[in-house]
Amino acid sequence: MRVISAIFLLLIASVGSAIDHASDVFTLTIWKLTIPMDDNGDQVADEVFMPSLRYFEDPDFFHLSDSADSIVFRAKCEAVTTKNSSYPGCELREMKKGGEEKASWGTNDGKVHNLIIRAAINVVPDKKRHVVCAQIHDDDDDLLMIRLEGKKLFIERNDLEPVMLDKNYELGSFFNLMIIADNGRIRALYDQKQVMEWAIERDGLYFKAGCYVQSNLERGDDPAAFGEVEIQKLYVTHKSK
């Protein structure tokens, strides 16, 4: 645990200089971005891939923060969704380096899969005050989600008890989270303290991060209602043992 904590502290150190674009905050070379727009009229959320993602920004949903040290993700409750969801989002989906091929890994494939994120949930919808900021997903559904419901910030796992991270989360508060998948298990560290060790064997997995609102107009929210997530650090590794 002492080694993990040291690595964690190293990776949440200060961001380098010369930040002019959202993609200068952290590398986007292993991501594609799903955006809450439908420019081609197919009723499905559009996507932005590398290399276009390198300088992509939109003031409504994906842009550099005013403090120039984070990326702001935003999704309105009225926005278009992906094929497999009824809720809108502005989210990064993990890809292999270069951004052309989808990432896919397993919890017991001989590697250590690691995600480190420093994020804050700034805004939640007015009626259904639920926002997800990070996930492990497979081809069909989420395996786990980092979710805020009202003031409760927790790790959600289907059909299992949630893992509470903060019972009284204040909007806009940054937190540090590390997720490690290896040896047929998933561990989670919240602000350097291990909070979960879950025995689970699953393949076809990938990381997601951003703003995924858990509401829409049918849930009673106004078209202008939205969720917003700010991410300062996002770091992924897949290392052989």
Side-chain angles (χ1 to χ4, degrees):
M1 186 64 65
R2 192 173 301 168
V3 173
I4 292 174
S5 297
I7 294 172
F8 189 82
L9 288 170
L10 176 64
L11 291 172
I12 65 172
S14 59
V15 180
S17 57
I19 296 179
D20 301 311
H21 304 279
S23 59
D24 294 326
V25 177
F26 50 80
T27 181
L28 298 177
T29 56
I30 61 161
W31 303 100
K32 70 173 180 178
L33 177 67
T34 300
I35 60 176
M37 288 185 64
D38 177 23
D39 274 349
N40 59 12
D42 64 357
Q43 305 302 309
V44 177
D46 294 336
E47 296 179 326
V48 184
F49 295 82
M50 291 295 290
S52 298
L53 184 55
R54 174 64 181 90
Y55 296 108
F56 177 81
E57 289 184 90
D58 189 286
D60 291 331
F61 54 79
F62 182 81
H63 59 85
L64 186 65
S65 66
D66 291 341
S67 54
D69 64 353
S70 59
I71 300 178
V72 176
F73 298 76
R74 181 182 291 181
K76 288 185 177 181
C77 292
E78 67 169 352
V80 66
T81 71
T82 62
K83 288 182 179 180
N84 299 320
S85 176
S86 57
Y87 298 135
C90 181
E91 288 187 292
L92 295 167
R93 192 267 195 218
E94 186 190 3
M95 306 288 282
K96 292 186 178 179
K97 191 172 182 179
E100 295 184 1
E101 188 178 349
K102 292 179 179 179
S104 180
W105 45 268
T107 59
N108 200 19
D109 62 3
K111 293 186 177 182
V112 180
H113 310 280
N114 192 351
L115 176 139
I116 291 175
I117 184 171
R118 176 171 171 81
I121 299 174
N122 295 334
V123 182
V124 295
D126 298 326
K127 298 293 184 181
K128 191 181 177 204
R129 302 173 62 81
H130 299 183
V131 167
V132 169
C133 66
Q135 303 180 57
I136 294 180
H137 215 279
D138 64 19
D139 288 337
D140 299 317
D141 200 0
D142 57 90
L143 186 65
L144 65 78
M145 299 197 294
I146 312 306
R147 183 182 183 111
L148 178 67
E149 292 189 357
K151 286 186 171 291
K152 294 180 180 180
L153 181 68
F154 58 93
I155 300 174
E156 180 182 78
R157 300 170 294 168
N158 292 334
D159 302 321
L160 292 174
E161 286 295 316
V163 177
M164 190 61 61
L165 303 176
D166 190 339
K167 294 181 179 179
N168 194 30
Y169 177 79
E170 294 185 8
L171 292 177
S173 301
F174 278 94
F175 60 87
N176 300 306
L177 181 74
M178 176 188 283
I179 298 174
I180 308 161
D182 67 346
N183 295 322
R185 63 182 179 174
I186 299 176
R187 289 171 287 162
L189 283 75
Y190 179 73
D191 286 338
Q192 303 178 48
K193 179 181 178 182
Q194 182 164 314
V195 294
M196 183 187 78
E197 182 164 345
W198 178 25
I200 175 76
E201 293 204 19
R202 192 70 60 85
D203 294 314
L205 301 175
Y206 55 90
F207 292 116
K208 298 183 76 175
C211 178
Y212 181 29
V213 296
Q214 301 295 284
S215 188
N216 54 31
L217 303 189
E218 293 180 359
R219 296 291 185 176
D221 267 299
D222 187 85
F226 65 94
E228 182 182 286
V229 172
E230 204 171 334
I231 301 179
Q232 284 186 341
K233 305 283 193 304
L234 187 62
Y235 188 84
V236 169
T237 60
H238 302 284
K239 294 184 178 181
S240 300
K241 297 177 183 178

